[in-house]
Structures are given as structure tokens and as C-alpha cells.
Amino acid sequence: MLEATDLTEEDLTPQAYEAARIQIAEDRALAEKEARDSALTTGEVCELLGREGTSIRRSKSAGDLYALPTSNGRATLFPAWQFVGRQVVPGLRTIIPNFPSYEHPLTIQQFMTEANDELDGRAPVEWLNAGGAVETVASLVAELTYE
């Protein structure tokens, strides 16, 4: 491995492995905190979209809105990336179910917000808001299961 990479012997010690493991855990915890901190509560989504809470909950159940997984009685949180202005990104009902069930919400956020060559360099959110085909994004999501 040392010959095929730029790693050194010091990088392969148990201490280096543990330091890397801790750094990865800290980075993930920070990313999850940032995702939760930037997400909107049901009340904030109601205000943003000018709708009642029951309407928001129905949209979540129907798949028109994506919510972060919750546990321990936490409030429902909706990632901010799915809102542009006072509108919901179109096509989520078709796209979100195509993500593998094990896919982490941060992976979904990254996929939806980062530029994609298959979408003329646009992020899926931008593509969809510009009227791009929902099926195109859905097929890209489906390809994730094969990676």
C-alpha cells in the first residue's frame, strides 16, 4: 500500500487510524448539526409556504416534502435545499423514493445541491426549478444504488 499511495508508515499506525476515525466522526457530527440547524420546522414551512400544518404533514406523507428522519419525539425538520423562494422544488415525490432506504440525509442533500455533469453542470435542485425533466434526476438517483 505504501508503494501505491502517498501514505507513510506513520499514517498506518494504530494511533493514526484512531485519529482519523475520530476526525471522521467529528466531521460527520458537524455536518449533521449544520444540516439540522439549517432545516426548517413545520411551523417555519407553514409560514414560508403560507399553508396550515395539516397541509404540510399531508405533503410530507405524500412525498412532496422531504423530512429528516426523526426519533425520540423530536420535531419534524425539513431540509432547506428543497425550498426556493416560497416554493417547493418540483418532483420530489418522484425523486426521493428512488434514493436507497439506507442513504444518509447528508448524501441526499449533497446529491441534490451539487453540480452534476449529466444535468448540464447544474445541481438537481437548479435543474428541477428551471423546468428540467424530473425523470432525468430520478434516473440519476436510481444509479446511486449501483455505485
Side-chain angles (χ1 to χ4, degrees), residues 24-64:
I24 290 168
E26 288 174 352
D27 290 348
R28 182 175 179 142
L30 178 61
E32 287 178 0
K33 181 182 181 328
E34 289 173 359
R36 290 197 180 280
D37 288 350
S38 68
L40 301 145
T41 64
T42 302
E44 291 168 327
V45 173
C46 289
E47 187 176 321
L48 177 71
L49 301 178
R51 294 168 40 194
E52 296 293 322
T54 54
S55 172
I56 299 303
R57 286 186 286 282
R58 274 194 308 271
S59 290
K60 176 187 170 239
S61 294
D64 294 323

Side-chain angles (χ1 to χ4, degrees), residues 98-142:
N98 284 335
F99 280 100
S101 60
Y102 56 81
E103 205 69 71
H104 195 279
L106 291 174
T107 303
I108 294 173
Q109 175 176 309
Q110 181 179 15
F111 175 86
M112 293 298 292
T113 59
E114 288 188 356
N116 187 311
D117 291 339
E118 300 292 322
L119 303 174
D120 299 328
R122 295 182 188 173
V125 166
E126 296 168 332
W127 172 267
L128 295 165
N129 281 319
V134 173
E135 295 76 20
T136 304
V137 176
S139 68
L140 291 172
V141 171

